[in-house]
Amino acid sequence: MNIDKASKNFMVQSILLCCVLTICGFVAMEAWSLDLLCAIIVSACFVLVIDIASALIFRWVAAKHSDMLPTFITGVSGFRFLAALVVMAVWYVISDRDSMLQFIVVFLLYYMVSLIHHSIIFSRISKRL
């Protein structure tokens, strides 16, 4: 298995998924006259930072410590969850009730798509090892 190629594919797929979700968010904003711009930007940045960082760290772990890959995959999932809780807590503190509900819906959509993508990709990689 080519680790560099798998890492690049994961990053490219993450960026494409994020772009598709962002376009869908902009379409929803126009169709229902919603103010989702901040929620979309925060969610897209969160997903891109977490996914690209995990792909780069995966490349390093796979090259240097391949026996630690199952622990790494579990750790990334746990870190993603904790980071999402922190982002939602910060948004809760700085926003009002109406924008909070919209933010949670948008953020959880990005989070769930990213989590499903992460699970599919890393389960395929784990089978090859």
Side-chain angles (χ1 to χ4, degrees), residues 32-37 39-40 43 91 96-109:
W32 292 295
S33 300
L34 299 171
D35 182 24
L36 302 175
L37 185 61
I40 289 172
S43 301
W91 194 267
D96 59 348
R97 183 183 170 137
D98 293 333
S99 67
M100 184 63 196
L101 182 60
Q102 291 176 348
F103 176 79
I104 292 293
V105 169
V106 171
F107 187 78
L108 287 180
L109 179 67

Side-chain angles (χ1 to χ4, degrees), residues 1-2 21 29 32 38 44 55 80 94 118 120 123 129:
M1 176 180 71
N2 187 351
L21 286 173
M29 280 176 53
W32 292 295
C38 248
R80 178 191 315 260
I94 65 172
H118 168 87
I120 290 170
S123 68
L129 296 177

Side-chain angles (χ1 to χ4, degrees), residues 26-102:
F26 288 145
V27 169
M29 280 176 53
E30 289 298 318
W32 292 295
S33 300
L34 299 171
D35 182 24
L36 302 175
L37 185 61
C38 248
I40 289 172
I41 290 171
V42 169
S43 301
C45 289
F46 175 83
V47 166
L48 288 175
V49 166
I50 295 292
D51 283 353
I52 291 173
S54 65
L56 294 174
I57 295 170
F58 164 75
R59 183 185 304 169
W60 180 79
V61 169
K64 304 283 185 190
H65 308 284
S66 61
D67 57 325
M68 299 296 290
L69 278 177
T71 306
F72 165 75
I73 294 168
T74 305
V76 167
S77 296
F79 177 76
R80 178 191 315 260
F81 178 71
L82 291 175
L85 286 178
V86 168
V87 169
M88 288 188 288
V90 168
W91 194 267
Y92 176 76
V93 169
I94 65 172
S95 71
D96 59 348
R97 183 183 170 137
D98 293 333
S99 67
M100 184 63 196
L101 182 60
Q102 291 176 348

